[in-house]
Amino acid sequence: MRIPMMAGNWKMNCDNPAAVELAKGIVEGSANALGCEVIVCPPFTALSAVNDVTKDSPVSLGGQNFFWKADGAFTGEIAADMLLCCGCEYVIIGHSERRGRFGATDEDFAEELQSVFGDNDATVSIKLKAAVDAGLKPIACCGELLSEREKGMTDAIVSDQVRAMLDGCSEEQLHSVTIAYEPVWAIGTGEVCEADEANRVCGLIRAVVAEVAGQETADNMRILYGGSVKPDNVEGLMAQAEIDGGLVGGASLKADSFCTLIEVAGRAKRA
Ligand code: PEP
């Protein structure tokens, strides 16, 4: 049985006092939430402060990104060991904003800005293996642009992204991997993917994992949905068999709404 997961991506929000406050609210508000693993991913600057709040609680800590080299002249980057030192267990990789898209919903988003942060299928694949080898559990993101969906390319884009990120991984390396399906047009837009369609794409991702790494690995892997998950749409999403939880941006910045998502995910998957 897959344990549901609710991961909060705080993005570039919360100075340290605000991060500590939010973390305390989530620790307290999720204390009685049964059966759902809870992860918070604050900005790097707040990791240690948040770790002081979460370390003796069931809430786990994650980074929003990392660089695969152990050390060196990589200004502005952060290594896996540095995340581990701050108490991180998880790391998000390949988020569409790191892939440079910044929530772009159509092709008029300047091409040159789309790669400003530089992640692509090849770097996500390197990061996935580097994270696992360093002892971090990656939450690896994939998802199509609106323009790709409108051209009927969703399945091809998502399958290719998943194949690329898993390329060269051993079955053992895949045990600690979670995949998040995040249609780019749904991130931060308030426009949620219909629950049955999100379920269909998560099922497609599971089928690709089965093809690459075998059915057992696929059956054990958690696949999350991300994109404008909110208290008012979470029930329908969590009721879907292929969706094992959520990767949440906006609604993770308020303890009460995030705790509602946690409670619903735990309840839905216990049922
Ligand atoms: C995200 O940051 O991964 C995300 C899904 O954001 P939001 O929930 O705000 O759409």
Side-chain angles (χ1 to χ4, degrees), residues 94-97 99-111 113-115 142-158 161 181-187 189 191 193 197 201:
H95 191 282
S96 63
E97 289 156 12
R99 290 178 190 246
R101 289 164 171 172
F102 262 126
T105 52
D106 61 30
E107 282 167 337
D108 64 17
F109 191 73
E111 191 71 32
L113 289 180
Q114 292 201 5
S115 59
C142 60
E144 80 287 357
L145 295 168
L146 182 60
S147 56
E148 292 164 343
R149 173 162 283 269
E150 286 173 345
K151 287 182 202 142
M153 294 163 65
T154 298
D155 293 10
I157 294 285
V158 171
Q161 287 176 341
Y181 168 54
E182 297 215 307
V184 180
W185 49 271
I187 297 178
T189 60
E191 205 172 320
C193 185
E197 172 60 6
V201 181

Side-chain angles (χ1 to χ4, degrees), residues 9 11 95 97 182 186-189 226-230 247-251:
N9 175 13
K11 309 195 187 189
H95 191 282
E97 289 156 12
E182 297 215 307
I187 297 178
T189 60
S228 297
V229 179
K230 304 262 185 288
L247 178 56
V248 184

Side-chain angles (χ1 to χ4, degrees), residues 182-250:
E182 297 215 307
V184 180
W185 49 271
I187 297 178
T189 60
E191 205 172 320
V192 68
C193 185
E194 292 293 332
D196 53 356
E197 172 60 6
N199 188 56
R200 187 191 71 77
V201 181
C202 289
L204 170 78
I205 292 170
R206 202 176 303 285
V208 174
V209 177
E211 179 194 303
V212 171
Q215 193 61 49
E216 196 181 339
T217 303
D219 286 342
N220 289 331
M221 184 176 286
R222 287 182 288 189
I223 301 180
L224 313 180
Y225 166 78
S228 297
V229 179
K230 304 262 185 288
D232 63 4
N233 59 32
V234 68
E235 297 263 3
L237 289 162
M238 293 307 124
Q240 305 296 321
E242 296 290 357
I243 301 178
D244 302 314
L247 178 56
V248 184

Side-chain angles (χ1 to χ4, degrees), residues 160-174:
D160 284 354
Q161 287 176 341
V162 174
R163 273 195 202 96
M165 68 170 68
L166 302 186
D167 187 42
C169 278
S170 65
E171 278 179 38
E172 202 183 328
Q173 281 173 317
L174 289 177

